[in-house]
Amino acid sequence: MIASPVPFKSRIHSLDVLRGFAILGIRIMNIQSFSMPEAAYLNPMAYGDMTGLNKWVWILSHTLAAHKFMSIFSMLFGAGIFLMSTKIEAQGKNPAGFYYRRIFWLLVIGLIHAYGFWYGDILVAYAMCGLLVYLFRKLKSGWLIFFGLLSMLVGSGLYLFFGLTMDFWPPEAIESTRSFWMPAPEAINNELAAYRGTWMEAFNQRYPMAFFMETMVFMINYSWHTGGLMLIGMGLFKLGILSAARSDRFYNIHMIIAFLIGFSLVLLGLQYNFAHDWKFEYSMYQGAQFNYWGSLFVAYGYVCLIMRLFKSRYLHDFKESLAMVGRAALSNYLFQTLLCTTLFYGYGFGLYGHVGRASAMVIVLIVWAIQVLLTRLWMDRFYFGPVEWLWRSLTYWKKQPLRKEEAK
């Protein structure tokens, strides 16, 4: 007999609220990948106006959002691995077959997303990291956090190694990396033309980058960084931190300490990178270390903030809206892509490269409003988002109830 999915009433509400907070926050940074050439995500000087309001919008988005919300989402994915496997084991069944089938279909969804719509997909990386992270799920919380930090340290060390050994690189490797960090005007114009063109023209531009992200970037970054965050998420869940089980005092103290350390590191990194004029010799490797580690602390501070809010008596409707978005997180993640590619790419409204950073934040607010409204309308009638329902049905080899009336 195959295992059954987690009943709706058994869901941990705090995780849904935190997941909704994370999936909405991710859009603050991802909007740059949708609206501007690829290099602009890492290097703000690669494209677009960086003066006045546009500069301050970028500084605020980098400080508050870059890697922070994705870190939360990665932690939650790790916590979800532990939750799913524990639930299946409680039914007296081996969770491995269920889990790896679930991961396989996530990989399929991610590949369709990456190559069909947007190279910045994270689902493929989650699926590949999840293959290994699952094996650590029974470790105690302290060991999970230790191995998670160790994994992140390896990723950090690799970047430092690349930066400190650049003097020994072959000239062609240096030039190739420099052109990735700061593309020539011709390359920028080619990318603009591709994404303002047909779907096939965009695909020809997109698939090499998607493949690069899933191979080279995964090996030197995602595997260590994202996998480490998943392990940390497992540990935090076992400690009761992600389920709002700790005291208000605990969350208050941890939030303050995490924000002080995290924002100090991020702001210090900004100061150094601007002092180095965002040259790739410094900013691509050594300069990235500040936000790499600072984002971990800021993300943890956000976790404590949301858990503290979750435990309070206030903002009930706001928390419920976040929870609904969180229960349909995968659908919302993919819907963001459909909405933004339609808005920016040539087979839609063709705004790619025409929107500044300040205007892009206005679009983010509009996307948020649309997502929250549509999600509430959907979740009033259904238990799960449409993609979640499909994913569950494929995982359990059985059509799952979707309408609330079907489960009564």
Side-chain angles (χ1 to χ4, degrees):
M1 181 178 178
I2 195 165
S4 58
V6 178
F8 176 77
K9 292 182 180 179
S10 300
R11 294 181 68 91
I12 299 177
H13 200 50
S14 63
L15 295 182
D16 287 331
V17 173
L18 187 57
R19 192 176 289 111
F21 174 73
I23 202 65
L24 292 176
I26 285 169
R27 186 55 49 216
I28 296 174
M29 290 306 296
N30 284 355
I31 194 72
Q32 295 184 55
S33 290
F34 287 116
S35 63
M36 294 182 177
E38 298 157 359
Y41 186 90
L42 295 176
N43 177 16
M45 302 302 177
Y47 185 83
D49 174 52
M50 270 294 284
T51 61
L53 182 60
N54 282 318
K55 179 178 179 180
W56 282 108
V57 165
W58 184 88
I59 289 174
L60 283 172
S61 62
H62 176 83
T63 303
L64 299 174
H67 294 172
K68 286 76 174 176
F69 294 101
M70 189 56 73
S71 294
I72 297 174
F73 210 63
S74 301
M75 292 178 193
L76 289 171
F77 193 89
I81 292 173
F82 173 75
L83 269 172
M84 289 183 291
S85 61
T86 301
K87 185 263 174 184
I88 299 300
E89 288 172 336
Q91 297 179 11
K93 302 176 180 67
N94 187 338
F98 153 78
Y99 174 76
Y100 284 113
R101 190 161 58 246
R102 182 176 174 86
I103 285 294
F104 169 77
W105 288 114
L106 181 66
L107 177 64
V108 171
I109 294 170
L111 289 171
I112 294 171
H113 181 228
Y115 289 94
F117 300 95
W118 181 50
Y119 67 87
D121 167 81
I122 196 63
L123 303 178
V124 172
Y126 277 13
M128 292 193 292
C129 288
L131 294 173
L132 181 61
V133 169
Y134 170 80
L135 303 177
F136 290 78
R137 70 193 187 282
K138 294 192 182 234
L139 292 180
K140 292 183 178 181
S141 57
W143 283 111
L144 285 166
I145 293 173
F146 170 77
F147 283 121
L149 291 172
L150 183 63
S151 180
M152 289 186 64
L153 186 62
V154 172
S156 175
L158 286 173
Y159 262 61
L160 278 176
F161 174 79
F162 293 143
L164 295 174
T165 60
M166 196 175 295
D167 289 342
F168 303 97
W169 292 13
E172 57 272 18
I174 293 178
E175 188 54 39
S176 174
T177 307
R178 181 183 284 111
S179 64
F180 175 82
W181 181 258
M182 180 64 81
E186 182 181 1
I188 292 287
N189 290 333
N190 290 338
E191 187 174 348
L192 291 172
Y195 284 117
R196 291 172 183 170
T198 65
W199 182 91
M200 183 55 68
E201 289 173 321
F203 171 77
N204 288 333
Q205 176 71 33
R206 176 172 56 246
Y207 84 81
M209 186 61 176
F211 184 76
F212 177 71
M213 296 279 285
E214 292 159 6
T215 52
M216 184 64 70
V217 174
F218 178 81
M219 287 187 290
I220 66 175
N221 185 300
Y222 286 160
S223 58
W224 305 105
H225 184 223
T226 305
L229 288 167
M230 289 179 183
L231 291 172
I232 292 171
M234 278 189 190
L236 294 180
F237 181 79
K238 288 189 176 185
L239 290 172
I241 294 173
L242 300 182
S243 54
R246 308 306 290 262
S247 68
D248 291 350
R249 184 172 182 271
F250 174 92
Y251 288 119
N252 289 339
I253 292 174
H254 281 231
M255 176 180 65
I256 292 171
I257 293 173
F259 280 158
L260 284 174
I261 296 174
F263 284 126
S264 295
L265 285 172
V266 174
L267 292 173
L268 188 62
L270 280 175
Q271 179 182 344
Y272 282 134
N273 280 305
F274 275 110
H276 285 84
D277 296 321
W278 289 92
K279 293 180 179 177
F280 97 97
E281 291 87 349
Y282 175 80
S283 295
M284 191 168 185
Y285 297 111
Q286 295 99 310
Q289 297 294 314
F290 296 94
N291 192 57
Y292 182 93
W293 291 105
S295 64
L296 173 64
F297 288 96
V298 174
Y300 181 63
Y302 283 151
V303 168
C304 294
L305 173 64
I306 295 301
M307 293 301 100
R308 184 67 180 85
L309 174 65
F310 177 81
K311 289 163 62 71
S312 75
R313 298 174 297 160
Y314 305 105
L315 300 174
H316 173 76
D317 286 344
F318 174 71
K319 291 183 286 188
E320 189 59 28
S321 293
L322 288 180
M324 288 184 178
V325 171
R327 288 199 292 272
L330 180 56
S331 296
N332 274 301
Y333 176 71
L334 298 174
F335 177 70
Q336 287 175 348
T337 294
L338 290 175
L339 198 60
C340 289
T341 51
T342 300
L343 185 63
F344 291 107
Y345 288 2
Y347 49 83
F349 291 93
L351 296 179
Y352 190 82
H354 293 303
V355 177
R357 290 178 170 89
S359 299
M361 287 304 108
V362 175
I363 293 174
V364 168
L365 295 175
I366 296 172
V367 171
W368 283 350
I370 293 172
Q371 285 193 273
V372 171
L373 175 61
L374 292 181
T375 301
R376 293 205 65 141
L377 290 173
W378 178 274
M379 298 304 290
D380 282 342
R381 297 166 177 79
F382 304 100
Y383 277 112
F384 308 103
V387 184
E388 282 79 4
W389 171 81
L390 176 63
W391 190 20
R392 280 170 166 256
S393 297
L394 290 170
T395 297
Y396 292 102
W397 292 122
K398 180 182 179 182
K399 180 182 176 182
Q400 299 295 307
L402 180 59
R403 286 186 176 275
K404 290 187 175 179
E405 301 81 35
E406 295 175 0
K408 291 181 180 179

